[in-house]
Amino acid sequence: MNRGDWHFVVYGYDIDYFGVMFAEAVEAGGVEYVADPVSHYSGSRAVGVFHRLCEHPRLRRMLHLDGHSIWRRWLIGDYVDVGKRLCFVFLMRWLKPGNEDLFLTIRRRYPDAMIVVYLEDLYETGVNLDYSMMTRHADLVVSYDKGDAAKHGFLYYPTFLSAVSLPACGKKHTDVAFCGASKQRYDLIVRTYEALVSRGLECDFMVSRLHPGQKKAGGIRYIRYLIPYQEYLSHVMRSDCLLEIMQDNATGYTLRTWEAILYDKVLLTNNKAIKEAPFYNPEQFIYFETPDDIPGCLSSGRQVHNPYSGNLSPVKFFDFLASRLS
């Protein structure tokens, strides 16, 4: 079947850059992005905010609320007359144990619908998820990471991203930009920052979610969690080079890779798999194993326009799903 035969409903997150990931597919038609089901299906942002307040674990314990039954009517939309085959696509954080009833309701209300789970992060990061729900409910499981897909028997499809048009940014120019959570890579982030600064490069580093015992380093900006994606992109646009530091055991291509391609930036990365990528160009992608390997000149005079940008559209992801759904 072709993508045009399907209506895809994506259960994502109320975080703006995930909406950006799918934006081109939504604009092309046949794809609906649901960041917050209660807000989306009730048509009221206020109702969604009230729902999240009532679902706060502490409030539920205090008031003995069974929030799931209260909000059930707005967890899934009415697609009886959609006129196409239905496919619900869930990002991995929807596999929380409390969401089992959502999958059961889909199977009961739309018995012919297909369910896909897309793991946009490493399998091992889902410590609070119930992966057995995939076995019970998913028709397809797809991972962004080739190694994870091979290890767990999932289909593989790399991360995708929609381009965003931004006005020219007149703020201060920087050589290298990095934004990300500390995770288990914080020591490497700091050592890389220090190596870049020692080479006389102007760095724009933002790090979130320090773990207990991790100390702040001078010159790095620390943020609580996330900044709006458009604000983050303003940092991208005024930098010549983006830094990508992979999680341990990850081999998939991240948003930093796609941002480098979409916005004509050099990428400094410790992802060894980049050298085998179909879009690899040594002028654009600079691999390093340790911070000592990083050259002193990262972007001067480099022509980095990459024609692979046409392959990054989320529309191709739904073509991929349509080709594998019966």
Side-chain angles (χ1 to χ4, degrees), residues 49-67:
V49 171
F50 186 59
H51 164 248
R52 288 195 295 273
L53 177 64
C54 292
E55 286 290 279
H56 191 282
R58 185 176 299 175
L59 187 60
R60 290 187 66 176
R61 287 195 299 269
M62 290 173 57
L63 302 180
H64 306 288
L65 292 172
D66 181 9

Side-chain angles (χ1 to χ4, degrees), residues 190 296 302:
V190 173
R302 294 177 185 266

Side-chain angles (χ1 to χ4, degrees), residues 173-176 236 238-242 264-267 299:
H173 168 270
T174 57
D175 295 302
V176 185
V236 170
R238 66 174 182 261
S239 296
D240 290 329
C241 176
L242 306 181
D264 296 336
K265 303 295 179 180
V266 172
L267 183 74
S299 60

Side-chain angles (χ1 to χ4, degrees), residues 15 71 115 124 145 172 219 271:
I15 300 173
W71 308 101
I115 293 177
E124 65 188 36
D145 187 90
K172 182 180 178 182
N271 184 3

Side-chain angles (χ1 to χ4, degrees), residues 19-280:
V20 170
M21 283 177 61
F22 290 93
E24 287 183 11
V26 173
E27 292 170 5
V31 176
E32 183 176 353
Y33 185 78
V34 182
D36 176 355
V38 174
S39 293
H40 187 84
Y41 293 120
S42 70
S44 170
R45 185 73 176 178
V47 172
V49 171
F50 186 59
H51 164 248
R52 288 195 295 273
L53 177 64
C54 292
E55 286 290 279
H56 191 282
R58 185 176 299 175
L59 187 60
R60 290 187 66 176
R61 287 195 299 269
M62 290 173 57
L63 302 180
H64 306 288
L65 292 172
D66 181 9
H68 212 57
S69 62
I70 295 172
W71 308 101
R72 188 186 303 273
R73 76 183 78 174
W74 289 314
L75 290 179
I76 304 173
D78 183 0
Y79 297 105
V80 172
D81 299 320
V82 74
K84 296 182 178 181
R85 291 288 308 275
L86 266 179
C87 178
F88 293 86
V89 180
F90 289 89
L91 299 189
M92 63 189 291
R93 304 299 164 188
W94 283 92
L95 297 174
K96 293 179 180 178
N99 288 329
E100 179 97 34
D101 191 56
L102 177 58
F103 291 89
L104 292 171
T105 302
I106 289 174
R107 288 300 187 202
R108 183 170 59 252
R109 190 178 299 179
Y110 305 111
D112 295 327
M114 306 296 281
I115 293 177
V116 173
V117 173
Y118 183 68
L119 280 70
E120 79 284 354
D121 204 345
L122 292 176
Y123 184 92
E124 65 188 36
T125 66
V127 293
N128 297 318
L129 304 181
D130 180 2
Y131 284 124
S132 67
M133 290 168 62
M134 297 191 300
T135 303
R136 292 192 292 275
H137 305 297
D139 297 290
L140 293 178
V141 179
V142 186
S143 171
Y144 89 102
D145 187 90
K146 184 178 290 187
D148 250 14
K151 180 178 179 180
H152 298 286
F154 305 144
L155 293 176
Y156 165 66
Y157 195 91
T159 306
F160 41 86
L161 187 63
S162 305
V164 175
S165 297
L166 291 174
C169 181
K171 294 183 178 180
K172 182 180 178 182
H173 168 270
T174 57
D175 295 302
V176 185
F178 172 83
C179 182
S182 63
K183 299 183 179 178
Q184 303 301 320
R185 56 186 178 173
Y186 182 63
D187 287 345
L188 182 55
I189 292 172
V190 173
R191 288 193 291 115
T192 304
Y193 172 81
E194 292 172 345
L196 293 169
V197 171
S198 72
R199 288 159 173 76
L201 297 170
E202 186 72 28
C203 295
D204 179 9
F205 273 46
M206 294 177 289
V207 177
S208 66
R209 290 182 284 175
L210 287 188
H211 295 178
Q214 290 179 335
K215 297 180 180 180
K216 294 182 178 180
I220 295 177
R221 177 186 169 193
Y222 292 88
I223 55 180
R224 288 192 62 186
Y225 183 56
L226 294 171
I227 61 174
Y229 192 63
Q230 292 268 349
E231 179 183 343
Y232 161 73
L233 285 179
S234 71
H235 292 261
V236 170
M237 299 305 287
R238 66 174 182 261
S239 296
D240 290 329
C241 176
L242 306 181
L243 172 65
E244 172 185 71
I245 296 182
M246 303 293 286
Q247 299 181 70
D248 289 344
N249 303 319
T251 59
Y253 307 123
T254 73
L255 292 181
R256 303 296 85 82
T257 306
W258 300 155
E259 288 159 358
I261 292 175
L262 287 176
Y263 302 115
D264 296 336
K265 303 295 179 180
V266 172
L267 183 74
L268 177 63
T269 178
N270 66 340
N271 184 3
K272 187 178 294 186
I274 203 77
K275 292 186 174 183
E276 307 302 323
F279 49 80
Y280 177 69

